[in-house]
Amino acid sequence: METEPRDWIREDLVWDEKDLNATVAGFFLNSVYSYIPSGFNRIGGDYLDAASGDAIPSRNNQTVEYYTNGQISVLNNPDPYWASSYAGVRAANIFLSNIDRVPMAAQTKRYWKAEARYVRALMYFELLKRYGGIPLVGNKVLTVDDKLELPRNSYADCVNYIVNECDAIKDSLRLETGANYTTSDWGRIAKGAAIALKCRTYLYAASPLFNGGAVEGDLAKKILTSYPAYDVNRWQLVVNAAQELIGLNYYALNSSFGNVFTVNKNTEVILSKQGATNFSVETNNAPVGFSNPVSFGRTSPTAQFVNAFPMNNGLAITAAGSGYNAQSPYTNRDPRLALTVFYNGYKWLNRNIQTYDGGLDKPGGSVVQTKTGYYLRKFMADFSSNTAYSNQYHNFVLFRYAEVILNYAEALNELGRTEDAVAQLILIRKRAGILAGTNNRYGVPSGISQTDFRVLLQNERRIELAFEEHRFWDIRRWKTAPDVLNGSLSGTKITLNGTVLNFQDVNVATVSFSNKLYHMPLPYDEVIKNNQLIQNEGW
């Protein structure tokens, strides 16, 4: 009689004392890696950024809209990530509890242990940014005989745990500059990933929502979701972590913004979720007017997002002297716009995109198509002159050097070092292709104030890190979500009269945000199983 499926790999084979090469244990570690999140069209076929004001789904009644239409609840959350994160924590703990039974090379074992601990720390960060403090289970592999009703740890406890883990493992991870990090190791967690996770954790902890700015009225809940009191020194921790990563002298901005996402191995990417080559990003998101290959156009960037891109002189399109022409709105814009958004007239698959009413890519009728006049271009290779797609690397970037530079600039400004922050922002704008200008400030005004630079920096993050799952969380940690997500979102209606195009902003969606959406609701099935869990306020 069989008591378990024969195709299971039993524990004694995974942790085999005769497996000198640790082959099966390596398979188990790969399964631990599988819990690292991706980001391409992952929320019911849409990007998380479609709930941030930067885009809306091209299809009707999509689950990602629950975040902006009030339908999210303890039973109805399209991105809970609770069960998946704790499954990743458990898998890492099983690996760490058993790997010493395998007689493998000592240095490789050291790397592998550090990688498993990193995945565990990353899982806790994914939980922390959604819920605030969550139960920390330590190294223990819990069984049904253990006490499973664990209370939530404080926000401070969770931050300390993640940061301490990053510091404990960073010197046990591979250095990407060394002989121990070959092409076959690309995608493995390296030292820079530990420092980058520490930097992002500190960035969130220092931000207005978490650094003494909690919205809860109950002190007990404030302790779970934030630091109750503001401390400016938390920004210094961000600076320290950014300087530590910069000091590795390995990572650098790629000379091409587009190549960051399509070249498998480059010095800007610190960690990415690896996958097989494909062209699914193209077919899911490119304009719908192509039948061979088919493109589904699932993502419609908003006019607000497109208008956030400055001119190529670095000035906002609303600024005096910017050179913006409303009848030729995509001319002389920030070069990142053309690498992020498809707009009318854009060349793709050997023809020009037509998003004017009645055009090939906005034909009207019942066909799923752009609701805003735009489609998502980011993450795709250059198929402007091709007639078909070909397989490409689409590894979702989790951490990259540009983010660390922007973290650094934000923290410097909050510490009153605004001109030092400007120097970091200039690095990003210079790589983007913004013109230096006569004063070599790449569109940054001389003598800019701390307040004005904060606004500029927030916009720079919006366009540089678009659709990389930053904006959804940034507007929460900055506490700007009520301003961004209450009211109407716009698209661009384009009409063709003879040979003349007319552009008009039109409302395409109504969105709303309430304070309870700063933190996600703990899943209902978890709360009813564990009466020690305190639900977040408003849920």
Side-chain angles (χ1 to χ4, degrees), residues 44-163:
D46 293 297
Y47 282 84
L48 183 62
D49 291 55
S52 74
D54 284 355
I56 59 174
S58 300
R59 299 169 296 166
N60 294 329
N61 303 317
Q62 296 303 296
T63 55
V64 74
E65 295 175 289
Y66 293 171
Y67 294 114
T68 56
N69 66 11
Q71 291 190 48
I72 187 174
S73 71
V74 295
L75 291 170
N76 202 18
N77 183 357
D79 184 33
Y81 215 70
W82 184 284
S84 181
S85 288
Y86 275 111
V89 169
R90 179 176 176 80
N93 282 346
I94 291 172
F95 179 87
L96 293 165
S97 298
N98 290 282
I99 189 60
D100 283 334
R101 294 160 56 184
V102 182
M104 58 188 293
Q107 184 59 63
T108 302
K109 183 180 292 187
R110 185 185 183 203
Y111 290 148
W112 285 11
K113 285 183 176 180
E115 291 166 26
R117 289 176 69 178
Y118 179 89
V119 173
R120 183 175 63 188
L122 181 61
M123 294 300 96
Y124 280 127
F125 177 78
E126 291 295 320
L127 289 164
L128 184 67
K129 75 181 183 183
R130 287 169 171 81
Y131 302 104
I134 31 76
L136 298 171
V137 301
N139 297 321
K140 189 170 184 179
V141 179
L142 296 172
T143 70
V144 292
D145 297 321
D146 291 306
K147 177 177 171 55
L148 300 179
E149 294 185 353
L150 301 175
R152 297 171 64 178
N153 288 78
S154 70
Y155 184 85
D157 284 345
C158 295
V159 169
N160 291 339
Y161 179 88
I162 294 166
V163 167

Side-chain angles (χ1 to χ4, degrees), residues 242-382:
Q243 290 176 338
E244 183 180 4
L245 187 133
I246 294 168
L248 293 179
N249 293 318
Y250 170 74
Y251 299 102
L253 295 174
N254 194 296
S255 59
S256 166
F257 177 74
N259 285 352
V260 173
F261 310 102
T262 57
V263 174
N264 188 35
K265 190 176 189 297
N266 65 79
T267 56
E268 182 162 342
V269 174
I270 300 171
L271 180 66
S272 59
K273 173 82 170 189
Q274 301 293 291
T277 56
N278 56 64
F279 46 84
S280 61
V281 171
E282 286 79 5
T283 56
N284 278 327
N285 301 289
V288 300
F290 301 95
S291 58
N292 185 24
V294 173
S295 299
F296 299 111
R298 289 181 170 176
T299 305
S300 296
T302 59
Q304 283 97 332
F305 175 66
V306 171
N307 292 341
F309 286 82
M311 302 299 289
N312 62 3
N313 57 18
L315 298 180
I317 64 172
T318 56
S322 69
Y324 177 71
N325 180 355
Q327 293 308 307
S328 183
Y330 316 120
T331 302
N332 295 328
R333 296 291 291 276
D334 181 333
R336 287 172 293 188
L337 176 60
L339 293 168
T340 306
V341 174
F342 287 114
Y343 45 77
N344 191 74
Y346 196 110
K347 187 178 179 183
W348 190 249
L349 292 177
N350 215 27
R351 75 160 171 84
N352 291 338
I353 300 298
Q354 299 175 5
T355 57
Y356 54 80
D357 284 358
L360 291 173
D361 302 294
K362 198 169 186 282
S366 60
V367 177
V368 172
Q369 59 198 279
T370 177
K371 294 179 178 179
T372 62
Y374 304 106
Y375 291 97
L376 181 64
R377 159 70 173 83
K378 195 170 182 178
F379 310 117
M380 302 181 193
D382 182 4

